[in-house]
Amino acid sequence: MQISPSILSADFANLESELQRISNADWAHVDVMDGHFVPNLTLGLPVVEALAKVSPIPLDCHLMVDNPAVLLDEFADAGADRCIVHVELGDPRPLFDELRARDVGVGLVLNPPTPVDTVLPYLDQIDLLLVMSVNPGWGGQAFIPDVLEKVRVARREIDAHRWPAEIEIDGGINVDTAGVAAAAGCDILVAGSALFRAPDPVAAGRAILAAAAQGRAA
Ligand code: DX5
Ligand code: ZN
């Protein structure tokens, strides 16, 4: 089980030191929002480039933008280690090709209302399936348990075919929800507010991973 702290809930005036506070995590989850695909605006390429220069851990870039095709090359140049694109935008295969050509990890994400069937045709082609457990746009929202059925379906498909794709979940993950997410078959937990709003993000991350391990064992 891995953890990917979402820096959306970090102190944006001190991102380098915020990355140091989570330097034992597996990834740093970077939420890029364009004000169109989702109503919120967050950060873009210059910030990703600056983060990549100082980050002790790889950047897991979640692209909530209308037109990722025009940006992927630049994300690769900026130092993104993995880019996650939304299936709601249409056929993602040209985007996968572009990411593979640049040796950037390939992620596909679906929103809570989007049926799991939309991602099944691509599970053999990706490194990561990201299941949104809140409607994207903001940190600190409540976990939507209905999405766990999509995790179970994807888990069964991936395991049945022995595909390498991992499953990540994003939104409302904390000590109360990590267990059910792990039990449903998630490999990687994104957590924003539960980590960065805790006095000690390392301890908070450990507690979330312990809850996940308990949920998986139950
Ligand atoms: C929401 C983002 C999430 C968000 C999660 O649109 O994709 O990554 O930061 O925040 P929490 O963990 O607070 O729900
Ligand atoms: Zn995200």
Side-chain angles (χ1 to χ4, degrees):
M1 182 67 58
Q2 296 188 348
I3 196 149
S4 185
S6 166
I7 62 162
L8 187 57
S9 295
D11 176 359
F12 270 24
N14 294 289
L15 285 175
E16 182 170 6
S17 57
E18 290 289 73
L19 285 170
Q20 290 306 326
R21 292 172 79 210
I22 54 155
S23 61
N24 67 326
D26 301 283
W27 298 85
H29 185 84
V30 181
D31 287 302
V32 177
M33 304 187 191
D34 68 353
H36 292 271
F37 184 73
V38 288
N40 199 6
L41 262 177
T42 54
L43 53 85
L45 283 160
V47 178
V48 171
E49 194 175 352
L51 290 171
K53 283 190 187 128
V54 298
S55 181
I57 51 177
L59 301 183
D60 187 31
C61 297
H62 176 190
L63 306 187
M64 287 159 275
V65 301
D66 263 350
N67 196 353
V70 300
L71 295 171
L72 291 184
D73 242 351
E74 288 174 274
F75 270 98
D77 289 341
D81 296 281
R82 173 160 76 200
C83 285
I84 311 167
V85 295
H86 271 268
V87 73
E88 291 82 9
L89 296 169
D91 186 353
R93 283 171 300 186
L95 304 176
F96 298 166
D97 293 344
E98 218 164 305
L99 290 169
R100 293 273 178 233
R102 294 299 311 270
D103 212 18
V104 175
V106 173
L108 185 65
V109 46
L110 77 172
N111 282 335
T114 305
V116 70
D117 306 24
T118 58
V119 297
L120 297 180
Y122 310 114
L123 292 180
D124 61 333
Q125 298 153 51
I126 59 180
D127 301 308
L128 181 87
L129 177 70
L130 174 59
V131 177
M132 289 306 299
S133 42
V134 297
N135 287 301
W138 288 272
Q141 303 182 76
F143 184 77
I144 301 172
D146 287 359
V147 307
L148 291 174
E149 189 49 29
K150 293 193 280 187
V151 173
R152 291 185 200 103
V153 170
R155 179 83 270 159
R156 278 199 297 271
E157 274 296 291
I158 289 169
D159 288 351
H161 295 90
R162 297 174 186 233
W163 288 325
E166 293 184 296
I167 302 178
E168 184 174 61
I169 193 158
D170 182 5
I173 293 294
N174 54 40
V175 284
D176 299 321
T177 54
V180 286
C186 294
D187 304 293
I188 307 169
L189 305 171
V190 175
S193 47
L195 287 184
F196 283 103
R197 289 187 199 150
D200 178 356
V202 172
R206 266 198 217 111
I208 288 172
L209 287 171
Q214 263 189 352
R216 190 160 262 187

